[in-house]
Amino acid sequence: MMPQMFKATLKQKTTLSPKATGLTLQLIEPTKIEFNPGQFVNLKVADAVYRAYSIASPCAQQDKIFLIVTTSHEGVGSEYVRNLHIGDEVTFIGPSGKLHLKEKHSKAIYFFATGSGIAPFISMLEQLACDNYSGKIHLFFGVRHPEEVLCLDELTGLKKRLKDFTIDFYVSNPQDDFMGVKGRVTAAIPNITDFNADFYLCGHPQMVEDVNTALKAKGVPDENIICEGFTKTLK
Ligand SMILES: Cc1cc2nc3c(=O)[nH]c(=O)nc-3n(C[C@H](O)[C@H](O)[C@H](O)COP(=O)(O)OP(=O)(O)OC[C@H]3O[C@@H](n4cnc5c(N)ncnc54)[C@H](O)[C@@H]3O)c2cc1C
């Protein structure tokens, strides 16, 4: 589907973590959107200013979309979203982006996400669950603090629907008494035994670059690394 302009109203606004806000946008004009899991929309956040946000909802749900927006910093998009109220009208252009699930997976799938980089993967995992995908899927999800983990309910639900789906949470800046895995998701790479797999990377540009470089050093070919860094430059 070619990107087009949409008008929508803010139906629901949720505090997902100290850093992230969830937005449910009900489409008004047009009333439906077709997209591929992994794609994003460009939300109008000021006059002639747009910010890209990945669609975190299933593509089967066409009358509304769910976005996960980092709102903890001083930024144009962040401030716009912080000031949005239920019922406000918003404009966005989409869908865009080349972060797509491969049509066929014959090997294991690894997802690497940091922070709101989990958003497109929720939509992709929903698709895999709808397709009754039964192959191995592993998610490495990195945050700075434990309370910044996002979409735990969705991930727990997806674990029940997907036959072989496992998750490791990495926390880079925990309190001293933290019991989980400490460190960045890049630390997971030496523990992977099967590099004949498809790797999807999304989130902080530095993480995407570091994991990409490490995977290439392990001999993973370009076509098996599908990635999107959350930079301002839109491709
Ligand atoms: C394809 C694509 C998809 C994206 N999807 C999402 C998504 O689903 N959710 C999402 O939240 N973002 C996503 N982004 C990033 C988003 O588009 C914005 O670039 C980002 O949210 C910052 O925009 P802003 O207007 O709030 O800050 P800006 O006004 O652009 O920046 C202001 C200042 O804040 C700093 N800053 C920017 N981001 C952060 C941050 N996360 N933490 C701390 N400081 C920061 C900047 O370095 C700058 O100094 C995506 C980006 C791309 C390219």
Side-chain angles (χ1 to χ4, degrees), residues 14 23 25 42 125:
T14 325
L23 301 180
L25 305 180
N42 279 305
L125 287 161

Side-chain angles (χ1 to χ4, degrees), residues 40 51-54 68-70 72-78 116 119 228-234:
F40 64 89
R51 290 289 182 266
Y53 299 114
S54 305
I68 299 173
V69 181
T70 305
S72 52
H73 58 282
E74 289 311 312
V76 185
S78 170
S116 51
E228 189 151 82
F230 278 179
T231 55
K232 268 203 217 170
T233 326
L234 307 185

Side-chain angles (χ1 to χ4, degrees), residues 19-21 38-43 45 49-56 66-82 96-99 115-120 202-204 228-235:
K19 279 194 172 171
T21 303
Q39 288 195 291
F40 64 89
V41 297
N42 279 305
L43 186 67
V45 295
V49 181
Y50 290 80
R51 290 289 182 266
Y53 299 114
S54 305
I55 305 173
F66 183 64
L67 308 177
I68 299 173
V69 181
T70 305
T71 43
S72 52
H73 58 282
E74 289 311 312
V76 185
S78 170
E79 196 183 333
Y80 171 78
V81 170
R82 279 201 304 269
S96 300
K98 297 176 195 143
L99 185 74
S116 51
I118 193 66
C202 188
H204 196 286
E228 189 151 82
F230 278 179
T231 55
K232 268 203 217 170
T233 326
L234 307 185
K235 289 177 193 158

